[in-house]
Amino acid sequence: METQNVFIVGAKGIPAKYGGYESFVEQLTKRKISDNIHYFVACRRDLSDNKSDTFVYNNATCFNVSVPNVGPARAILYDLKALNWSIKYIKEHNVSNPIVYVLACRIGPFISKYKKQLKQLGGKLYVNPDGHEWLRAKWSKPVREYWKISEKLMVKHADLLICDSKNIEKYILREYKKYNPNTMYISYGSDITPSKLGFRDEVVQKWFNAHNIHVGDYYLIVGRFVPENNYETMIREFMNSNTNKDLVIITNVEKNKFYSHLKEKTGFENDTRIKFVGTVYDAELLKFIRENAYAYLHGHEVGGTNPSLLEALGSTKINMLLNVGFNKEVAEEGALYWTKETGDLSQLIDKTDLLKAEKIERLNLLSDLRITNYFDWTKIVKQYEKVMVS
């Protein structure tokens, strides 16, 4: 059987440090089963990096794309340069029936030209539409309008849209019905494998001691530091609860306008329970931190299946999620749910503090079953490979 060449554009690259798309590509290549697929993965680098143009990782051909730091437009430029590299390679090596899989909908206004070239080369354009980028508060109105137009054009020209959320798939089919989009649902993945670290490991003791955090005595938030992840609600409600536990927040916090806004609105710096601890890039340490949290708080409301949520469901016994469709379709009965109504989350925190051991173990079992039955990486990779070689 002829090898199916798949060019992946849109992730920052592998090896993955952090991030949904990066972790997805890491798993897709690392867990590859079929001998009839070869992946090419775009990897973003700075202009100053003196790296070779290509390298092999997880048996995938990784190609470096150097991009100047031009602000928000950098991601668009990166995707376009990665597409140019892919099409040039396809032409020069006479690659038959190539698939270009674009992650996210950033380059809609430019995609028509590339789709035409790809079609002439006998190739297909697959797109992962991600979440509702045009709803994110961090973007100005003109940028949000661009994202919406870009999404529309990516949907229009895609041969196949692979949605990692059932709610995203429903939205695409409803919003862009006139294009008769060809969609498919394949989730993001995770696992329930425990961390390789233990209480006595130096990296564990160093982290917990540095932040004065005690195992099992903290609520945890992990996610991007953006307004639509509802940090304000979670912090305010936590401060209004009666818990004696800490709130540990792992995020790429920057002392920016949003941080200042949170300080002003909540006064969190006066509550010693609230602990912003920065990022954790060590995957095993992060898993250990998740496993030993009393509960995980999840406030994401824009986007599809969130990797941080899946990781929490597979590691943390109690998961407390904002009650929106994206979260409910993932966790179902394996989590507790809250709304943004004043007092709702604080009351849930107080009740959660008093949960009996059997209720906690029941939640833990149900959340683990959600991962093993529906979001296991091996199953996800098999689904992808079936699509790629069909």
Side-chain angles (χ1 to χ4, degrees), residues 27-28 31-32 377-385:
Q27 297 296 332
L28 189 66
R31 297 172 184 260
K32 186 167 77 76
W377 269 125
T378 303
K379 292 178 183 177
I380 303 302
V381 169
K382 282 180 180 176
Q383 285 179 280
Y384 262 100
E385 294 192 358

Side-chain angles (χ1 to χ4, degrees), residues 71-120:
R74 188 184 193 195
I76 297 168
L77 184 58
Y78 168 57
D79 285 359
L80 294 175
K81 291 188 76 172
L83 265 178
N84 281 326
W85 189 98
S86 301
I87 287 174
K88 183 182 177 188
Y89 185 96
I90 291 165
K91 286 178 179 176
E92 290 179 352
H93 294 83
N94 295 314
V95 177
S96 58
N97 305 311
I99 293 171
V100 173
Y101 186 26
V102 180
L103 308 176
C105 294
R106 292 183 286 252
I107 52 172
F110 311 94
I111 200 63
S112 175
K113 163 190 158 186
Y114 293 100
K115 171 65 186 294
K116 197 175 292 182
Q117 289 180 304
L118 200 53
K119 191 174 181 180
Q120 289 170 350

Side-chain angles (χ1 to χ4, degrees), residues 25 50 62-63 77 99 137 142 161 165 182 196 221-222 245 270 277 282 297 315 332 348 350 358 361 367 388-389:
V25 177
N50 293 314
C62 302
F63 56 98
L77 184 58
I99 293 171
L161 293 134
S165 159
N182 179 24
K196 295 171 186 172
I221 298 173
V222 181
K245 296 177 175 64
N270 298 317
V277 296
D282 182 330
L297 292 177
S315 298
E332 290 194 350
L348 182 60
D350 289 341
E358 55 266 32
E361 284 308 317
S367 62
M388 295 305 180
V389 298

